[in-house]
Amino acid sequence: EQHTLLAAVSVLCQDDGTPARLDLSVRPPARGLWEGPLADQGLASLGEFLPRPVAANVSTSHPEALRALEERHFNTVRKLDQLVLQVQ
């Protein structure tokens, strides 16, 4: 039987005063189910390092993650475009 990782959260908090990072990754078949619980777990794991800003990058192709973070009072600061160059 083959198993596939469907969702993960990672956090990074450095000791230099920069914002902590919270990253959510959820495969499309599991989207809508895991974003909220993963965000909660990630924020809870940062508890001892707070108060400080927490930054998260979310793709516009993952509206469920955006919604989960907005429900936890994250604010959109800017929107970015990703550019790709196919080099042959």
Side-chain angles (χ1 to χ4, degrees):
E1 183 176 333
Q2 186 178 16
H3 298 281
T4 302
L5 181 65
L6 294 177
V9 61
S10 64
V11 295
L12 174 65
C13 191
Q14 298 183 356
D15 201 19
D16 60 3
T18 59
R21 293 206 31 85
L22 172 70
D23 293 305
L24 305 177
S25 179
V26 182
R27 293 180 54 86
R31 288 189 176 171
L33 300 173
W34 291 103
E35 292 83 359
L38 288 173
D40 291 340
Q41 181 61 43
L43 289 169
S45 71
L46 288 170
E48 68 183 87
F49 302 103
L50 301 177
R52 69 166 56 205
V54 180
N57 293 331
V58 177
S59 171
T60 56
S61 67
H62 194 171
E64 300 88 350
L66 181 60
R67 188 170 35 259
L69 294 172
E70 287 174 340
E71 288 171 356
R72 284 147 186 86
H73 308 286
F74 279 75
N75 297 308
T76 300
V77 176
R78 65 178 172 245
K79 295 182 181 186
L80 303 173
D81 293 318
Q82 181 180 31
L83 298 128
V84 176
L85 171 64
Q86 295 292 335
V87 178
Q88 306 214 6

